[in-house]
Amino acid sequence: MSDQDKDLEQEMIENEQTDDAPDMNKDDKDGYEDICYICRRPESKAGKMIKIPNNVCICRDCMQKTFDSMSGSGFNLGDFNPANMGFGNMPNISMINLSDLQGMLPRNQQVKKKKPKEKKEKPVLDIHAIPAPHKIKASLDEYIVGQDYAKKVMSVAVYNHYKRVASEANDDIEIEKSNMLMVGPTGSGKTYMVRTLAKLLDVPLAITDATSLTEAGYIGDDIESVVSKLLAPADNDIEKAERGIIFIDEIDKIAKKRNTNQRDVSGESVQQGMLKLLEGADVEVPVGASSKNAMVPMVTVNTRNILFICGGAFEGLDSVIKKRTESSSLGFGGKVKSKEDDNNIMKRVVPHDLVKFGIVPELVGRLPVITVLDELDEDALCRILTEPKNSLIKQYTKLFKLDNIDFEITEDAKREIAKRTIEEKTGARGLRAIVEKILTKLMFEAPSDDEIVGIKITAECVRGEAEPEITRAVSSARKKK
């Protein structure tokens, strides 16, 4: 570097230390890192930033490369004007106007600063503050009906995982991760159970579909995007995101394709790319975006302490289990099957069955906790309508109560709704569709009719044989209520 270059760089450093000092203090209070405008790296990775007018930050590497390229092109650095990044004495040359760069970086792409480590660093999680498995299950019981075995398995897995995060590795014993695989039909409550669990534990949660993931280089979300989605609920706090939960739904849709000669860019290759995430590795992920590009800052996230929960319906897995467990039913030695055995066939799943289904053995080995959710029967669906804290009936009762209307639904009507849901095979999420269809006309007319003070749904209404029973009074009665 020439003496002229050194003088110019020294001048810019002095300007950084004097003129822009108040802005740096403001950034420190805000708690977010400076990001280089050229290479988009945060200050923790690129080093100390050089601040030029209009609060634009450039790392020393990019500034040095700029000087080197200008020197090799024959430009006279004496004509360089840092106020507008141009050359005042050279005609028709103007690189960039810094006054246009203010506010270029959106808030969701700014990275929070890591807290400085103290000599006696306090543990991130206190072992005694982690709720015991029976307390976790009791909290889940308030929102989720049935699935007792699945709730017990999830409570133990989560408890052991956060004990592992909170414990200090003072000996040679290293506790492995408790990643989980949830197998259950659609509408059995897989996603709702994970969302409720994250709410109870107050940890960041990211929910994504495996169907949107593709191999690197193809159109679609990269595999690392599942980690970048965890930064938003963590407010771009990397340390908080590294203790979160990631739920990957529809994991069965990326099973290996059979009898195909085409490249499987959204199947087995995605499974192979997920291995390092589930086991624990340092991955570079974009902040505030789902794909990597030159205009998005990148941060490094360690997935070692992130709990991964995968879920899927696994349609056709029961036939794989039957081939393994059942012998021929013909002849004198044939085994007589009962209908109850067919309903519980999914509970006999073992890791080898998942491999036969199309999940690679390496991925199955990184999901040691496997739980099967029961298909909801008529009794469970009736309880879902009324028992949880935010049950469907309580929601509609509150909606009508805001209009001073009493809402009632009979027990026979609940049974009919449950039967229709089972016939349509839509699970718990199908309950709302049926109730919504029955009440749409009333919810449209009731707010404008002051005489309606009560609505009652019977079994005949669900079957379409009668209209809902409406209680009317004088027009002023509802207003006074």
Side-chain angles (χ1 to χ4, degrees), residues 330-345:
L330 299 177
F332 294 102
K335 183 180 178 181
V336 179
K337 298 185 299 180
S338 64
K339 191 174 182 179
E340 184 178 357
D341 294 336
D342 291 337
N343 295 334
N344 297 329
I345 190 67

Side-chain angles (χ1 to χ4, degrees), residues 153-318:
V153 173
M154 176 173 286
S155 301
V156 172
V158 171
Y159 180 68
N160 289 337
H161 173 76
Y162 284 104
K163 271 200 306 184
R164 168 184 174 272
V165 175
S167 63
E168 297 180 359
N170 295 327
D171 49 22
D172 297 334
I173 300 176
E174 185 177 354
I175 305 175
E176 294 293 334
K177 293 179 66 175
S178 301
N179 295 326
M180 183 187 303
L181 175 63
M182 302 175 68
V183 180
T186 178
S188 57
K190 299 185 293 294
T191 307
Y192 185 68
M193 191 179 298
V194 176
R195 186 183 290 114
T196 305
L197 181 66
K199 181 180 178 181
L200 296 174
L201 295 177
D202 192 21
V203 295
L205 170 67
I207 300 177
T208 183
D209 286 337
T211 53
S212 63
L213 304 178
T214 57
E215 188 179 355
Y218 290 86
I219 296 177
D221 291 340
D222 293 336
I223 299 171
E224 291 82 2
S225 65
V226 300
V227 182
S228 64
K229 291 181 180 180
L230 192 62
L231 291 173
D235 196 19
N236 288 352
D237 189 345
I238 300 176
E239 294 182 357
K240 187 176 180 181
E242 289 177 348
R243 305 188 303 271
I245 299 175
I246 295 179
F247 179 62
I248 305 176
D249 201 4
E250 307 293 347
I251 195 70
D252 56 318
K253 303 302 187 295
I254 61 172
K256 290 192 297 184
K257 305 296 187 297
R258 299 169 184 171
N259 301 326
T260 179
N261 296 325
Q262 299 178 351
R263 184 174 180 85
D264 192 8
V265 298
S266 61
E268 183 180 0
S269 57
V270 175
Q271 298 184 45
Q272 299 290 350
M274 291 174 57
L275 300 181
K276 63 176 182 177
L277 297 182
L278 269 64
E279 188 172 3
D282 292 326
V283 294
E284 283 196 351
V285 296
V287 180
S290 60
S291 60
K292 301 176 182 179
N293 58 73
M295 299 302 295
V296 176
M298 305 288 294
V299 295
T300 302
V301 179
N302 192 312
T303 63
R304 177 168 178 76
N305 292 329
I306 296 177
L307 178 62
F308 287 87
I309 302 177
C310 300
F314 288 90
E315 293 288 341
L317 182 61
D318 53 349

